[in-house]
Amino acid sequence: MDRLRNPFAPGAGIQPPALVGREKLLEDANIDMRRVLSRRPVKSLVILGLRGVGKTVLLNRMKEDADRLGFQIAKIEAPEQGALPQLLVPELRRILFSLDLMAHAGNKVRQAMAALRNFGSAFKIAVGEIEIGMTPGPGVADTGNLEQDMPQLLIAVAEAAADSQSAIGLFIDELQYLSKKELAALVAACHEIAQRNLPLFFVGAGLPQIAALAGNAKSYAERLFNYPEVDKLPYEAAREALVVPAQREGVAFEPAAIDEILRVTERYPYFIQEWGSHVWNAAPKSPITQADVVATEPAVIRHLDANFFRVRFDRLTVLQQRYLRAMAELGPGPHKTGDISATLGVEANAVATARQQLIAKGMIWSQRHGETAFTVPLFDSFMKRQIPVLEKHLPKRRSNKI
Ligand SMILES: Nc1ncnc2c1ncn2[C@@H]1O[C@H](COP(=O)(O)OP(=O)(O)OP(=O)(O)O)[C@@H](O)[C@H]1O
Ligand SMILES: [Mg+2]
């Protein structure tokens, strides 16, 4: 089919041609945002899901909705090494400048500017010129303790927004990469803001382990946030994800072709986009048949292995790779942690560090104590392709031969 007209959008955070199966979530968030604007209490959102299920796409869509509703928006993608204050400062600075231009801007904006300047110097972050404003009032966001200063800073900014009849939308992606301290500070800030009923709506997104991480950071976190889970698409939505974009280009799929794609992708959004895109390019004409899909399979698998899976695999040590291979031996998961080490032929504590490192890298997670699961869908079959034979983990021994 004409590659120029290929409607599919495989990638990270790329808006799909048909954003399907997430209507309820988007509608709920929209109502929450409108409640925030009318100063009614709402819980903030933390979107949880595995790699490639569409969290970033949802976060971006909610950000657009917030923008349309008149929110002032800060959006951050947490980097793996965590640097929340550094990323937050320029976003808040920009917001305060635009609040300052608003008709109702008053003293609260200046106070928030002062808090931002205090915060910047406490954490040694260049805030840039803040010409307007007063001498920073001592005592606001200036202790150097993030858990104290971040709530104070965000309260000051939210008060400034309230004073200007506006609201703040704070969007943070890849939340699992925040350090424990940063997460605790963020949760504490949301808690304080909720108690004061200030107009700040927080939306976070990340891997499913965040719920536990946030709960460990602050025990009240589970009551503070709603944690909607995004997962593989329901059957009908997955079908629409393929059919609707193709139909707009005048192209049809035979039902058996759709079934085949939904089977191999297990209805995971990212894989649907990749398969849709490859099959489109390879199929000679409409309608796309099951045979077209099957014929494309080796090329798609090669592409996914080389791009999507391989980059994750290459960042791991040999032992970490072997740990994942042992998990794959047991199937898609989740698996008992003890079974994984037994598959490797060792005691659990011999590989406990490797397991911890894999969790920190976001490769695996633990829903329940003693359980381990992949965060990347279909990673088990990739591991088997990559390492066809599982090697046991034999701690190195000295040879007895003389
Ligand atoms: N509801 C949906 N319907 C169809 N395609 C979707 C949907 N949501 C996301 N996609 C597609 O799936 C892919 C992955 O989306 P996205 O990057 O938002 O996932 P993610 O959950 O943020 O992944 P990661 O954890 O790796 O950041 C994109 O190509 C996007 O177009
Ligand atoms: Mg993402």
Side-chain angles (χ1 to χ4, degrees):
M1 224 76 65
D2 183 0
R3 298 173 68 121
L4 270 180
R5 286 174 37 232
N6 189 331
F8 294 101
I14 299 180
Q15 207 64 35
L19 178 57
V20 291
R22 311 295 191 215
E23 297 78 8
K24 169 89 171 61
L25 229 167
L26 286 167
E27 191 190 312
D28 288 352
N30 190 276
I31 299 220
D32 283 346
M33 289 190 262
R34 284 162 42 207
R35 285 179 60 92
V36 169
L37 286 173
S38 57
R39 304 290 293 274
R40 292 178 193 277
V42 297
K43 286 188 181 181
S44 282
L45 278 187
V46 176
I47 302 169
L48 303 179
L50 301 179
R51 290 286 176 202
V53 290
K55 302 178 295 295
T56 301
V57 156
L58 280 172
L59 197 80
N60 286 339
R61 180 60 77 88
M62 288 176 190
K63 184 173 73 94
E64 282 164 25
D65 283 355
D67 192 30
R68 216 169 300 128
L69 288 169
F71 277 70
Q72 298 290 327
I73 287 157
K75 165 137 196 246
I76 291 168
E77 183 182 321
E80 222 166 314
Q81 303 311 328
L84 184 61
Q86 284 78 356
L87 294 169
L88 198 57
V89 162
E91 290 291 290
L92 295 183
R93 179 175 187 268
R94 186 178 42 71
I95 287 178
L96 290 177
F97 274 114
S98 65
L99 286 177
D100 192 54
L101 295 175
M102 287 186 172
H104 318 278
N107 216 17
K108 293 282 184 194
V109 177
R110 286 154 192 273
Q111 282 170 7
M113 295 254 191
L116 185 65
R117 189 150 54 179
N118 285 353
F119 186 84
S121 64
F123 292 92
K124 305 196 171 44
I125 304 162
V127 177
E129 278 304 301
I130 295 186
E131 301 83 5
I132 20 164
M134 36 178 48
T135 329
V140 180
D142 66 351
T143 67
N145 174 350
L146 193 65
E147 228 178 285
Q148 250 172 291
D149 293 349
M150 205 161 92
Q152 289 186 357
L153 173 63
L154 287 173
I155 287 169
V157 173
E159 281 177 343
D163 207 35
S164 314
Q165 326 289 324
S166 185
I168 307 290
L170 175 59
F171 295 82
I172 306 186
D173 203 357
E174 303 284 4
L175 212 51
Q176 74 280 351
Y177 288 145
L178 294 186
S179 69
K180 195 170 176 195
K181 235 193 231 165
E182 291 171 344
L183 195 59
L186 182 68
V187 176
C190 289
H191 191 210
E192 299 266 340
I193 281 166
Q195 286 172 41
R196 289 171 172 73
N197 200 20
L198 287 167
L200 185 147
F201 189 52
F202 169 70
V203 183
L207 297 175
Q209 59 259 42
I210 300 167
L213 291 176
N216 290 344
K218 292 278 170 206
S219 59
Y220 52 74
E222 64 189 53
R223 278 160 288 147
L224 192 60
F225 300 120
N226 282 326
Y227 293 99
E229 285 178 30
V230 289
D231 200 356
K232 54 173 74 176
L233 293 169
Y235 185 86
E236 195 43 41
R239 213 183 69 82
E240 281 176 25
L242 285 169
V243 170
V244 171
Q247 218 165 36
R248 284 191 206 129
E249 300 294 336
V251 169
F253 284 90
E254 278 187 349
I258 294 174
D259 286 345
E260 182 63 15
I261 296 181
L262 299 193
R263 187 183 68 77
V264 287
T265 58
E266 293 189 15
R267 292 179 273 121
Y268 281 104
Y270 168 68
F271 297 121
I272 292 180
Q273 297 299 331
E274 281 288 5
W275 276 84
S277 173
H278 277 82
V279 168
W280 175 285
N281 288 343
K285 59 177 184 349
S286 178
I288 296 170
T289 66
Q290 185 182 19
D292 293 334
V293 178
V294 173
T296 320
E297 181 156 350
V300 188
I301 300 275
R302 257 200 319 278
H303 174 86
L304 287 173
D305 283 2
N307 295 279
F308 181 70
F309 293 120
R310 185 83 212 205
V311 286
R312 297 164 202 273
F313 179 85
D314 285 345
R315 297 162 61 227
L316 307 175
T317 66
V318 172
L319 179 56
Q320 290 165 359
Q321 291 174 353
R322 206 171 281 166
Y323 192 89
L324 297 183
R325 178 61 183 82
M327 285 175 65
E329 190 73 8
L330 297 167
H335 304 297
K336 292 213 181 82
T337 308
D339 290 350
I340 303 168
S341 46
T343 306
L344 281 166
V346 293
E347 295 290 323
N349 56 17
V351 284
T353 310
R355 179 174 178 273
Q356 265 318 314
Q357 291 162 340
L358 285 165
I359 292 177
K361 284 184 176 172
M363 294 301 301
I364 56 175
W365 73 293
S366 180
Q367 180 158 29
R368 268 176 288 281
H369 186 69
E371 255 188 24
T372 305
F374 291 108
T375 57
V376 183
L378 314 189
F379 209 76
D380 57 317
S381 30
F382 164 73
M383 286 306 299
K384 285 185 177 161
R385 287 194 295 276
Q386 194 64 28
I387 307 178
V389 181
L390 168 70
E391 278 181 53
K392 300 260 174 187
H393 175 54
L394 295 174
K396 285 194 185 117
R397 285 200 204 129
R398 268 193 229 136
S399 162
N400 289 331
K401 284 183 207 149
I402 301 167

